[in-house]
Structure formats: C-alpha cells, structure tokens
Amino acid sequence: SDMIVNMNEGLTLAQKNKDDKKWLIINMKGEKKGEIDTDKYYVLNNTFYEGKIMVRHIDNEDGPTIVLDNTGKKLFEIRKARAKYGCPEFFDGYLTFSNADSKCGVVNDEGEEVIRPKYDGIRNLGKGEFIARKGEKWGVINEKDETILDFDYEEGCVKMGDNYLIQDASG
C-alpha cells in the first residue's frame, strides 16, 4: 500500500497494507531482506547509505539517532545525534550529525565519535575529509579533527580530486 521509491543500494522500504506496523526492507527483485517496526522506530531519511539506515524511537522525537543495518538489526546509536535537529547521513565510512545545541560532529561506521560536536556546520567530502563551519567561516578538517584548510572562507567547498574549490572573502 505504501513504498518509499528511493532505491539507493538496491533497497527500498514498503508496506503491504496501511494497517501494517512495519516497513519491509526489500531488494530490487522484491525479496524481503528484513523489516523495521513502525511501532518502535520512525525512519529519518528513508534511504540506505552504506548498508545503514537511520531511525529514532517513535516516542522520543528528541532522542538519539539509531543506526540499523539493511536487515533492520540495530547496529548502534549515537546519543549526541538528535534526530529532531538534523538528519545524519553516512558517506565513505563516516556519519555527520547535529546535536540538540545545533553543533555538528562525526562518527565512524562503527558508531565511535571521531569529531565531537563543536562545529556550526559540517559536510563529508569523502576520504576522511570534511568541510566545517565555525561561525561564518568555513575550513577543511580531517577525521582526526586536524585543520587542512584554515577557517578563512565565506562559502563551502567542493573537492575535485586532490584540490578544493572554495570561495574566499575577496570573491
């Protein structure tokens, strides 16, 4: 009766009928791989990233982000990642998230915090590098929270191979 059409990684979520209390995790052949109990979890971003999907407990909108695998099994939860304040996404082995103070951090794909939530914005560039914002300025950091490009830039950044396309104050 209902289906989320995003087939990222060849998986989607579907319900047989509106009264079902679970999302079925199905592959492109229509085979059931697992399920997510909708009486227990609210799905945050409706998409699998690197075999993971993010949910929160249905009765706690400000609760931690919970990471399930592609069968619906709980892998770990990120206590500092508050579902209400931003939708976390996995990319290239890392998950960026926002907490209740609107500060952003990073965990690895095992749920270990690698960058504590202290930035005003953060995006994953891949290969363990992130563009982060302190106040109004952007810079680039790595997974060890070491600065690669100083926080001197007014706009975000795109990584192109080993180079960064970034705008500074001079335009």
Side-chain angles (χ1 to χ4, degrees):
S1 70
D2 197 8
M3 179 179 249
I4 297 170
V5 183
N6 191 339
M7 291 293 284
N8 192 37
E9 299 187 8
L11 297 170
T12 194
L13 302 175
Q15 286 181 309
K16 284 187 179 181
N17 64 60
K18 291 185 186 229
D19 297 329
D20 278 350
K21 299 294 182 187
K22 62 184 131 192
W23 282 109
L24 300 177
I25 302 168
I26 59 173
N27 65 15
M28 293 181 74
K29 295 179 182 177
E31 300 165 329
K32 178 182 169 186
K33 304 309 260 178
E35 60 189 39
I36 299 172
D37 183 347
T38 59
D39 275 340
K40 184 175 183 179
Y41 295 125
Y42 174 79
V43 177
L44 294 175
N45 54 6
N46 300 332
T47 302
F48 285 90
Y49 295 97
E50 298 183 13
K52 299 167 184 71
I53 194 164
M54 278 54 77
V55 300
R56 68 165 164 80
H57 281 285
I58 197 79
D59 59 351
N60 189 357
E61 115 178 345
D62 191 30
T65 296
I66 300 161
V67 180
L68 307 179
D69 70 9
N70 60 9
T71 68
K73 178 184 169 205
K74 180 180 174 180
L75 296 173
F76 55 86
E77 65 181 54
I78 308 161
R79 295 201 171 274
K80 292 183 183 177
R82 298 292 184 220
K84 181 178 177 181
Y85 299 96
C87 190
E89 292 184 350
F90 265 103
F91 173 64
D92 204 24
Y94 294 97
L95 178 142
T96 57
F97 67 91
S98 296
N99 70 9
D101 296 326
S102 298
K103 295 297 183 183
C104 301
V106 178
V107 297
N108 64 20
D109 63 1
E110 295 174 6
E112 301 166 327
E113 185 179 285
V114 295
I115 299 174
R116 70 178 176 82
K118 65 179 184 178
Y119 294 100
D120 296 306
I122 197 162
R123 288 193 320 260
N124 193 334
L125 296 172
K127 298 184 180 179
E129 294 182 345
F130 307 87
I131 178 142
R133 183 170 51 89
K134 288 182 183 179
E136 299 300 316
K137 300 292 185 172
W138 291 89
V140 177
I141 58 174
N142 65 18
E143 77 279 0
K144 295 176 184 170
D145 202 10
E146 300 167 331
T147 301
I148 296 171
L149 282 178
D150 289 332
F151 289 81
D152 294 333
Y153 300 95
E154 307 242 342
E155 295 293 328
C157 159
V158 176
K159 188 165 184 188
M160 301 170 71
D162 291 332
N163 300 308
Y164 304 96
L165 179 59
I166 195 162
Q167 182 176 347
D168 65 17
S170 63

